[in-house]
Amino acid sequence: MLKSSWLRLAPALGEVLLLTKASNTKRRQLVVGNWKMNGDLRENAALLKAITAGWQGQHGADVVICPPFPYIAQTVDALSGSSIMTGAQTVSEQEKGAYTGEVSAAMLADLNCKFVIIGHNERRRMQRESDQQVAEKFVQTQRVGLIPILCVGESLDDREAGKHLQTIARQLDAVFERVGKAVFSDAVLAYEPVWAVGTGKTATPAQAEEVHQFMRAQLGELGEKVRILYGGSVKAHNAEQLFALADIDGALLGGASLDADEFLAICKAAE
């Protein structure tokens, strides 16, 4: 059971402990751009050209772009010679077989993908992906050497009812029960408050930090090593404040990743 003390973790906004870039010893930050169902060959080429031009040389953060399936090969090719990596937006929980329309983890690895978003809130809501299905996708992703980005997050109803941590725990437990916790040394977590995705709303620093701290506690000994991203209407104007929090290790971006200037500003804020 959840301990009631977790519900008191979040201090008042003004009392959140911020770490400066000069003094923090955080994990290496990661920014992931999820293009969702957007783009075409021409638009993608221009966007990728602008992003790679603005992210040359050595940087203090990792960057991943997750295009729709038809444009993965285009993205991999455009990013060759760059430090930016390619990811996918989802994957089948099946290894192979008669699953029309599905894409396997092995296929993604064959295309030189490095990451896969697992359990995005839109997949959970629109495609009715269950916690157990998400856990199986996690297994398939790691089986071929790809890095899963496991998304968890609560609805507005859960948040208002004070059940947000219970929801997060349930979603994490489904994967823990399937594969244990040790495998998270090769995984990324992303906290997506559903009520803040695509709405323009953003969790306060206190709200985000509370959940990130809770997730680290659920990971046990690995808690301080696993990168946990925040996803929920992150923009250039609020990225630096969010990235300064001790337990936020970057961002999972949606619309902001479709604008090269906005995306690059957020990536630079993560350094």
Side-chain angles (χ1 to χ4, degrees):
M1 293 180 62
L2 295 171
K3 295 186 180 299
S4 60
S5 58
W6 278 113
L7 302 178
R8 299 192 297 272
L9 269 178
L13 177 59
E15 297 173 351
V16 174
L17 175 62
L18 300 182
L19 298 181
T20 66
K21 292 185 182 295
S23 65
N24 89 35
T25 56
K26 289 171 63 175
R27 298 139 297 269
R28 184 176 172 86
Q29 303 252 310
L30 171 65
V31 177
V32 180
N34 175 16
W35 287 1
K36 305 189 179 183
M37 198 174 70
N38 293 292
D40 57 37
L41 288 172
R42 181 184 60 79
E43 291 177 354
N44 298 348
L47 179 56
L48 290 165
K49 181 178 180 180
I51 290 172
T52 53
W55 195 255
Q56 297 182 3
Q58 298 296 315
H59 291 278
D62 294 326
V63 177
V64 176
I65 292 176
C66 299
F69 283 141
Y71 304 121
I72 286 178
Q74 178 193 23
T75 302
V76 169
D77 183 62
L79 297 179
S80 62
S82 164
S83 64
I84 304 173
M85 296 168 281
T86 304
Q89 297 176 16
T90 187
V91 69
S92 174
E93 68 272 24
Q94 305 296 334
E95 183 176 346
K96 61 181 179 179
Y99 302 100
T100 301
E102 294 297 312
V103 174
S104 73
M107 293 173 182
L108 297 176
D110 205 26
L111 289 173
N112 288 321
C113 271
K114 302 299 181 186
F115 293 79
V116 182
I117 299 172
I118 304 292
H120 190 280
N121 82 85
E122 289 165 358
R123 299 289 305 181
R124 291 180 188 264
R125 290 185 292 116
M126 298 177 187
Q127 279 70 40
R128 300 291 190 267
E129 289 186 1
S130 67
D131 293 338
Q132 289 68 38
Q133 187 178 8
V134 170
E136 292 303 321
K137 289 172 181 275
F138 188 100
V139 170
Q140 289 298 324
T141 298
Q142 286 197 327
R143 185 183 63 80
V144 299
L146 301 179
I147 299 173
I149 303 171
L150 175 64
C151 300
V152 298
E154 81 280 3
S155 67
L156 182 60
D157 287 344
D158 287 341
R159 165 62 65 171
E160 292 181 340
K163 297 179 179 179
H164 52 294
L165 297 184
Q166 286 92 330
T167 298
I168 302 298
R170 188 200 75 232
Q171 293 170 338
L172 289 175
D173 284 346
V175 183
F176 293 159
E177 290 169 6
R178 179 65 177 82
V179 295
K181 297 182 181 181
V183 297
F184 278 82
S185 60
D186 293 312
V188 175
L189 287 173
Y191 168 52
E192 302 181 293
V194 177
W195 47 273
V197 176
T199 65
K201 299 178 181 178
T202 305
T204 66
Q207 289 172 327
E209 187 75 339
E210 175 201 20
V211 175
H212 281 238
Q213 288 178 355
F214 174 75
M215 291 167 69
R216 293 199 190 284
Q218 300 303 293
L219 287 165
E221 294 181 357
L222 278 177
E224 291 305 312
K225 299 178 182 179
V226 177
R227 291 193 283 191
I228 305 179
L229 314 181
Y230 173 76
S233 298
V234 178
K235 304 293 183 183
H237 69 83
N238 62 15
E240 189 167 353
Q241 181 185 24
L242 288 166
F243 295 161
L245 291 168
D247 289 294
I248 293 181
D249 303 318
L252 175 59
L253 308 173
S257 66
L258 298 172
D259 181 295
D261 291 338
E262 183 84 4
F263 185 62
L264 287 167
I266 294 171
C267 292
K268 290 172 183 176
E271 294 193 275

